[in-house]
Amino acid sequence: MKILTSEEKTVVFKDFGDIWENKTARSILFLVPFMMTLVLPVFFLILLFHVPSDQIKGMEQMLQLLPAQAADLNGRQSVFYLVTNLIFPMFFLMIPLTSASICAASSFILEKERGTLETLLLTPLSVKRVFKAKVLGGIFLSALTTAVSFLLFSIVMAVGDLLLSMPFYLNWNWLVLFFFLSPVITVFSVLFMALTSAKSVSNTESFQTSGYLVLPIVLLFMGQFTGLYQVNAILLLWISGILFAADLVLCFFSVRLFTAEKLLR
Amino acid sequence: MSEIAIHAQKLSKSYNGAVYALHDLSLEIPSGAVFGFLGPNGAGKTTAVKLLTGLLKPTDGSCAIFGISPVKKPCEVHRLCGAVTETARMYGRLTGMQNLIFFGQVIGLTKRECRQRAETLLKSFDLWDVRDKCLSSYSTGMAQCLSMARAMIARPRLLLLDEPVSGLDVESALRVNTMMTNLAAQEGVTVFLCTHQLQYAQNFCNSYGIVSKGKMLACGDLESLSREVGIPLRARFRLREGQTPKHMECLNDGWWGSDLSEEEDMPDLLQNLVSSGFDVFEAQLVHPSLEDIYFKLIEWKGEET
Ligand SMILES: Nc1ncnc2c1ncn2[C@@H]1O[C@H](COP(=O)(O)OP(=O)(O)OP(=O)(O)O)[C@@H](O)[C@H]1O
Ligand SMILES: [Mg+2]
């Protein structure tokens, strides 16, 4: 069974073209991963090597957050460990979130604003198939971005770990984050943006709505600094599971909600 | 004639539940007809096209395109009909050629077929010189022509055109006319054309529906419409100066006019004139124009409500 028919593929490739030709979308698609996987980690590493060791001692309180298995790390190592596991995951999750949102915004909302969605719906492609092509296209592009970012990030981290002579950063948390949480967040963002496009909102407005998706992620990771809880693989799995269920619900609703009349209003 | 291209049964649409944009529209258009759907702004023409293409769901009533319901099977309807509406645009970043190829492929043609079709269409719409320019650099009229080419790319059996010539100059409008007329005559394509340009519609269509405020006021060909409205046929004669026939109205420049109850009366009238010794230079049978009928209808129905 083919996932996409050739007509649907034509739509997907046209959407890729739209995203590529859209300056804002293209720059966000490159800039966010670049910042999150290269600039910030490298900047942090440089900073870490320039801060004298005794100042790191001043971060005692923060170091209390270290889990047991990281107890025998020295000052620099433990700071790096903390940042890798407490802060960088948050940065990393911005990548599937923003890339999925921008892809979906471009292929749903911009297309509606420009009046081309109506033309597309006048073709023998049904609303459902247009929807499917656009959602899958958005998921594909943002999954690709996320995977490439993950590779880049791993290289930067490997260099950092080597310099600090620590074990490789990858642990269960990161594996769950990349293989479970990122995909469900991608799907969630694409569907969320697609649904907001059914309500008549402008492009800028919908980006503001997508800001609401960032907030829970930031809260989740920053909340760890209260010391009340730690984000671990099990918790991430739970969150992934919940989001997966939410994806299914969104998918169910959007298929029902999407009619030509609602989309074009 | 044979098949029914468009069938509407008490088709109604209300956007807000209170006011009907289209109310109880009943229509039957045979295949091969060129139907003019006429009405002032806000009459519900665009709404009708959107209902017929399934972009809107009717509030009441039903419609069918070649027997297929656009509500239940929009895709099959779209396979049979090409539609041009004012709001359906194409991609500004793509060239004219690319746009046509894209929509051709989405309809299911192969790339080769698309290219061939696009070439013919671009040439016949006089867009060949700008085929490799981005649509965003096209003028309104050029974009309009491209939309029409898009609607025709898969050789539809029905064309639904909403204000197709509103942005076109005389020359392009004429070209589009000729093309549609040929399509209708040679390939039996049915045309459903919405416009408020009456002169244009009269030249081009062979039957008409006149709507106002969502209600169909009258429907039929010119003859039946004029009969319904009660504007008679007229005979006009130009006679030698100074001659004054009886029972005729004096018009300007030596022309005389008289009402006819039917076309068949014309030869007798002419014969009478000649045999009574009048010198007839010119004789005309004047059908009431669509404009006369239209304004009379709008006036009437305005009084009723
Ligand atoms: N999306 C909409 N929401 C609410 N009302 C609408 C909508 N579209 C049209 N209407 C109303 O429906 C009525 C008919 O509109 P329609 O666009 O069908 O007119 P039209 O005959 O195409 O006019 P025009 O010649 O100006 O194009 C109008 O009174 C208009 O206000
Ligand atoms: Mg209109």
Side-chain angles (χ1 to χ4, degrees):
Chain A
M1 195 188 80
K2 271 198 212 160
I3 296 177
L4 289 171
T5 63
S6 71
E7 290 89 1
E8 289 161 359
K9 264 186 217 153
T10 315
V11 175
V12 170
F13 285 121
K14 195 274 308 158
D15 279 350
F16 289 170
D18 278 348
I19 295 167
W20 185 254
E21 297 279 327
N22 181 337
K23 238 171 155 182
T24 328
R26 189 176 47 187
S27 42
I28 289 181
L29 216 49
F30 279 101
L31 224 60
V32 170
F34 182 69
M35 284 293 290
M36 299 304 174
T37 62
L38 278 177
V39 177
L40 286 175
V42 169
F43 176 76
F44 177 72
L45 269 174
I46 293 172
L47 202 69
L48 195 61
F49 277 99
H50 281 81
V51 176
S53 315
D54 49 327
Q55 273 194 15
I56 293 176
K57 289 271 172 351
M59 303 172 73
E60 224 107 80
Q61 255 190 331
M62 219 175 108
L63 292 182
Q64 281 174 359
L65 296 173
L66 272 179
Q69 69 263 34
D72 50 351
L73 295 178
N74 69 24
R76 272 206 181 103
Q77 285 174 333
S78 27
V79 173
F80 192 62
Y81 182 92
L82 274 182
V83 172
T84 316
N85 285 290
L86 263 55
I87 311 247
F88 285 165
M90 177 176 84
F91 289 161
F92 186 82
L93 285 179
M94 297 299 140
I95 297 168
L97 192 85
T98 47
S99 52
S101 304
I102 199 91
C103 291
S106 167
S107 60
F108 281 97
I109 296 162
L110 276 185
E111 183 128 37
K112 181 180 170 184
E113 273 182 2
R114 291 176 182 161
T116 49
L117 191 59
E118 183 173 333
T119 324
L120 211 49
L121 294 179
L122 282 173
T123 66
L125 278 183
S126 66
V127 184
K128 245 178 231 172
R129 288 171 68 196
V130 170
F131 180 78
K132 178 181 125 194
K134 285 177 171 295
V135 165
L136 287 184
I139 289 175
F140 174 81
L141 207 57
S142 93
L144 188 72
T145 315
T146 311
V148 170
S149 308
F150 189 64
L151 209 70
L152 275 177
F153 182 71
S154 297
I155 293 171
V156 174
M157 285 293 117
V159 171
D161 289 334
L162 276 180
L163 286 175
L164 289 162
S165 46
M166 290 166 68
F168 190 49
Y169 83 104
L170 213 53
N171 53 19
W172 286 114
N173 287 12
W174 272 101
L175 287 175
V176 171
L177 191 108
F178 178 70
F179 284 105
F180 291 92
L181 194 53
S182 296
V184 290
I185 284 188
T186 301
V187 176
F188 189 86
S189 317
V190 169
L191 289 175
F192 184 80
M193 284 307 243
L195 273 178
T196 48
S197 81
K199 296 187 166 259
S200 56
V201 287
S202 71
N203 202 18
T204 30
E205 238 176 299
S206 62
F207 273 120
Q208 282 160 7
T209 10
S210 80
Y212 294 130
L213 298 181
V214 175
L215 208 64
I217 296 180
V218 172
L219 283 179
L220 174 71
F221 284 94
M222 295 314 273
Q224 296 178 97
F225 290 100
T226 59
L228 289 179
Y229 64 92
Q230 290 226 325
V231 173
N232 55 24
I234 305 288
L235 181 63
L236 289 179
L237 261 181
W238 268 108
I239 296 173
S240 308
I242 291 167
L243 276 177
F244 181 73
D247 286 348
L248 290 183
V249 172
L250 275 187
C251 209
F252 181 77
F253 270 115
S254 21
V255 168
R256 249 140 226 264
L257 238 69
F258 271 68
T259 61
E261 183 163 355
K262 285 208 177 101
L263 265 180
L264 297 175
R265 192 158 43 199
Chain B
M1 236 189 297
S2 53
E3 217 175 348
I4 301 297
I6 299 178
H7 177 90
Q9 181 71 44
K10 292 191 175 249
L11 192 62
S12 308
K13 177 71 192 178
S14 164
Y15 287 99
N16 52 15
V19 188
Y20 277 95
L22 199 64
H23 196 70
D24 280 356
L25 176 77
S26 294
L27 262 184
E28 206 155 273
I29 301 175
S31 104
V34 180
F35 185 84
F37 201 54
L38 315 166
N41 292 134
K45 304 183 292 294
T46 304
T47 307
V49 168
K50 290 194 171 167
L51 285 168
L52 291 175
T53 48
L55 290 183
L56 292 178
K57 263 204 178 88
T59 317
D60 263 313
S62 64
C63 54
I65 308 285
F66 293 108
I68 305 167
S69 156
V71 179
K72 289 184 195 128
K73 294 179 178 168
C75 308
E76 284 179 38
V77 167
H78 295 163
R79 239 177 261 289
L80 294 173
C81 78
V84 177
T85 68
E86 292 147 287
T87 40
R89 307 234 162 71
M90 294 200 267
Y91 297 95
R93 68 177 180 86
L94 299 180
T95 66
M97 189 67 157
Q98 287 171 334
N99 263 305
L100 289 186
I101 291 179
F102 170 74
F103 282 105
Q105 283 185 306
V106 169
I107 287 168
L109 306 181
T110 66
K111 199 154 186 175
R112 247 177 67 98
E113 287 172 313
C114 291
R115 193 170 287 279
Q116 280 171 353
R117 267 308 271 165
E119 268 177 29
T120 349
L121 285 169
L122 286 170
K123 279 178 187 156
S124 53
F125 277 105
D126 198 25
L127 292 170
W128 185 246
D129 294 335
V130 290
R131 67 186 182 279
D132 289 329
K133 287 211 179 109
C134 280
L135 175 61
S136 50
S137 69
Y138 278 27
S139 71
T140 318
M142 283 149 84
Q144 180 82 21
C145 284
L146 193 68
S147 282
M148 250 176 293
R150 188 261 305 153
M152 291 180 193
I153 193 141
R155 298 181 191 279
R157 295 178 61 196
L158 167 69
L159 278 171
L160 296 162
L161 307 173
D162 191 10
E163 308 280 357
V165 290
S166 57
L168 301 189
D169 57 28
V170 188
E171 206 188 334
S172 330
L174 210 65
R175 193 178 315 116
V176 169
N177 269 3
T178 324
M179 221 168 132
M180 304 280 170
T181 317
N182 287 346
L183 271 179
Q186 288 160 13
E187 299 181 28
V189 173
T190 316
V191 181
F192 183 90
L193 173 112
C194 300
T195 185
H196 43 233
Q197 299 180 22
L198 300 169
Q199 187 57 52
Y200 170 76
Q202 182 168 3
N203 292 338
F204 179 44
C205 305
N206 49 32
S207 57
Y208 312 86
I210 296 175
V211 278
S212 172
K213 294 184 189 145
K215 291 209 180 73
M216 180 87 118
L217 304 183
C219 182
D221 57 10
L222 209 53
E223 216 167 304
S224 70
L225 280 179
S226 47
R227 213 174 303 128
E228 190 177 338
V229 178
I231 303 179
L233 270 173
R234 279 180 79 81
R236 279 160 51 104
F237 303 99
R238 189 161 69 84
L239 306 176
R240 185 177 296 284
E241 253 174 275
Q243 294 185 328
T244 46
K246 281 173 204 161
H247 312 302
M248 279 209 194
E249 207 180 317
C250 181
L251 308 168
N252 45 8
D253 294 338
W255 281 93
W256 297 83
S258 159
D259 288 352
L260 291 178
S261 49
E262 56 180 334
E263 227 173 75
E264 286 301 314
D265 295 347
M266 183 71 176
D268 288 342
L269 192 62
L270 189 57
Q271 227 156 32
N272 279 343
L273 271 179
V274 174
S275 57
S276 334
F278 290 100
D279 300 329
V280 181
F281 289 86
E282 290 178 66
Q284 281 180 351
L285 189 67
V286 185
H287 292 273
S289 77
L290 195 55
E291 213 163 295
D292 301 334
I293 298 169
Y294 177 85
F295 284 116
K296 191 119 187 198
L297 267 174
I298 301 265
E299 192 183 318
W300 273 9
K301 305 285 166 154
E303 277 164 15
E304 265 173 34
T305 51

